[in-house]
Amino acid sequence: IFCDANAGWTPYQARQFTDATRAIDYTFEQPCTTIDECMSVRRSLDKPMVLDESVASLDDMLYIHRKGAADGLTLKISRLGGVTKTRQIRDLAVDLGFMITVEDTGGAEIDTSAMAHLSLSTPEERRLHAIAFHEWVTVRTASNMPPVSGSRMGIPDGPGLGIDVVPDLLGAPFFEVGS
Ligand SMILES: [Mg+2]
C-alpha cells in the first residue's frame, strides 16, 4: 500500500495521519511540500518514505540522498526533462541505494511505453511499482501498446519505444524543427 498525499499536508496533518495508521503496513509518499517538512515527519515514522514532487532534477535527488530524506523516489519523466534525463537520474539513484518508481503525471500509450521501458530496465530488486496509464484513457495514440496481464505490465516488442504511433490523433505539432 502506498499512501500518497501529493505534497498536500502540513507536518502536523501528516503526523496525525501516521499516528492514526500506525498498525497498517504502508509506504508514505510525499506527505508535505518541502523536503525539510517531509524529513520532520520521517523522523518519527516507522515506515518507508518515498519522495515524488520534491524530485525535479539531479540536484534534488542528490540533496535528498545527502539529507537521508527518503528510501525511494518517484521519478516523473516529464518533470525531469524526458527519457534521457530520467534514465541518468534513475541510474545514479539506484547506485545510491534508492528504491525507484518511474511514472509520469499521466499519459497514454507513448508515455506509458516510456515508463514501462524505464521501469523494466531498473534492477528488479529496486523497482517499486508502475501504472498502466494507457488503460485510464479512451483515445489510443498508438498500437502495439505495453501488454498488461493481471497486475503486471510488460514492454512492447517493436524498436524504440516499441509502439506504432497514430500520427493523425496527435493533431497539429506545437513546433517543427527542420534543416
Ligand atoms: Mg506521488
Side-chain angles (χ1 to χ4, degrees), residues 4 6 29-30 51-53 74 76 103:
D4 186 352
N6 290 310
E29 180 160 335
Q30 190 86 39
L51 291 181
D52 176 349
E53 282 79 5
T74 297
K76 292 203 165 118
E103 246 185 33

Side-chain angles (χ1 to χ4, degrees), residues 14-15 17 25 42 45 50 85 117 120 126 164 166:
R15 267 189 284 279
F17 178 84
D25 182 19
R42 179 167 158 82
L45 185 69
V50 165
K85 284 191 174 177
H117 280 277
L120 287 172
R126 294 301 174 81
D164 297 313
V166 183

Side-chain angles (χ1 to χ4, degrees), residues 9-71:
W9 288 340
T10 63
Y12 182 90
Q13 291 170 314
R15 267 189 284 279
Q16 284 183 308
F17 178 84
T18 59
D19 284 345
T21 55
R22 206 162 284 282
I24 302 171
D25 182 19
Y26 64 89
T27 295
F28 205 14
E29 180 160 335
Q30 190 86 39
C32 309
T33 304
T34 69
I35 294 170
D36 286 345
E37 286 174 329
C38 289
M39 275 193 68
S40 78
V41 174
R42 179 167 158 82
R43 279 189 206 103
S44 59
L45 185 69
D46 59 355
K47 306 178 192 310
M49 181 174 283
V50 165
L51 291 181
D52 176 349
E53 282 79 5
S54 288
V55 192
S57 67
L58 176 64
D59 281 348
D60 290 340
M61 188 275 284
L62 292 172
Y63 180 78
I64 290 165
H65 173 67
R66 279 197 305 275
K67 292 282 230 175
D71 306 289

Side-chain angles (χ1 to χ4, degrees), residues 111-156:
D111 203 33
T112 303
S113 185
M115 287 162 38
H117 280 277
L118 282 167
S119 292
L120 287 172
S121 59
T122 302
E124 187 171 8
E125 68 275 13
R126 294 301 174 81
R127 272 182 236 148
L128 288 174
H129 59 81
I131 297 177
F133 275 124
H134 64 305
E135 296 200 322
W136 294 18
V137 295
T138 53
V139 176
R140 296 272 167 242
T141 54
S143 57
N144 197 30
M145 50 200 155
V148 176
S149 174
S151 63
R152 304 187 74 83
M153 180 167 62
I155 51 173

